[in-house]
């Protein structure tokens, strides 16, 4: 099992790169996010990897950090999400935004990835909504997970009303969800909808 590569960046393509490790070139597929962080040919580079072995081929996938690798593994547990679609999702959304999108049940954000239509996005949201408790969404969500409480699949109560209000103002649901969660963490549990909206708008303006 190849779990990590460190060496000199040999070359890159649209969705792949080669790292030279002591004279041996390792070809791997990666998200655009990871490829951007590798640098230029000749630079020292390091990636975490997942190796897939099947009857007809061996494939290597590279990741800039553990968060992206963990999301790749989680995404590929969903029926219909293969390695290519998982990398497309990670190209469209960084791990923290993926976590927020699933916690917020934000189908639109998932559909930004190539190869992800409404039906597949709905399946991803449904199958992973109970698993995001193991991944930190925002300070409030992280605190809930640490205390052992269930992670909500979608915002509710004052938080949910504030998120809906910001979405109605034209903000993306994923951005509204993240901003209101941060606002709720700062203001405390007793914050009303209007206070959350004002604080959420302030977060979004930064």
């Amino acid at each position: 099992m190849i779990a990590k590569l460190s060496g000199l960046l040999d070359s890159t393509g649209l969705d792949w790169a080669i790292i030279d490790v002591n004279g041996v070139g390792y070809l791997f597929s990666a998200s655009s996010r990871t490829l951007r962080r590798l640098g230029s040919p000749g630079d020292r580079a390091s990636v975490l990897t997942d190796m897939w072995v099947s009857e007809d081929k061996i494939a290597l996938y590279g990741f800039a950090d553990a968060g992206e690798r963990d999301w790749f593994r989680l995404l590929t547990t969903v029926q219909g999400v293969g390695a290519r679609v998982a990398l497309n999702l990670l190209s469209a959304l960084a791990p923290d935004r993926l976590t927020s999108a699933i916690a917020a049940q934000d189908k639109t954000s998932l559909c930004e990835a190539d190869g992800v239509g409404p039906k597949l996005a709905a399946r991803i949201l449904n199958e992973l909504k109970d698993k995001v408790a193991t991944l930190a969404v925002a300070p409030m969500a992280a605190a809930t997970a640490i205390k052992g409480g269930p992670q909500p699949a979608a915002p509710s109560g004052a938080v949910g009303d504030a998120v809906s209000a910001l979405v109605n103002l034209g903000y993306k649901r994923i951005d509204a969800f993240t901003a209101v969660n941060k606002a709720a963490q700062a203001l405390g549990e007793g914050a009303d909808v209007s206070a959350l909206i004002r604080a959420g708008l302030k977060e979004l303006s930064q």
Side-chain angles (χ1 to χ4, degrees), residues 71 95-106 132 136-138 173-174 177-178:
W71 259 112
D96 59 336
R97 289 180 64 80
L98 253 178
T99 307
S100 293
I102 291 175
Q105 293 290 281
D106 185 359
V132 296
V137 181
R173 184 171 180 80
I174 184 174
F177 176 82
T178 301

Side-chain angles (χ1 to χ4, degrees), residues 115-181:
V116 179
K119 288 185 178 179
L120 182 55
R123 185 183 303 135
I124 293 170
L125 293 177
N126 182 59
E127 292 191 22
L128 298 185
K129 64 183 179 181
D130 293 328
K131 298 181 180 180
V132 296
T134 61
L135 305 165
V137 181
M140 173 181 283
T144 301
I146 290 171
K147 293 177 181 178
Q151 175 65 38
S156 60
V159 170
D161 291 342
V163 170
S164 295
L166 293 181
V167 170
N168 290 336
L169 289 174
Y171 291 100
K172 289 185 177 181
R173 184 171 180 80
I174 184 174
D175 295 330
F177 176 82
T178 301
V180 172
N181 256 337

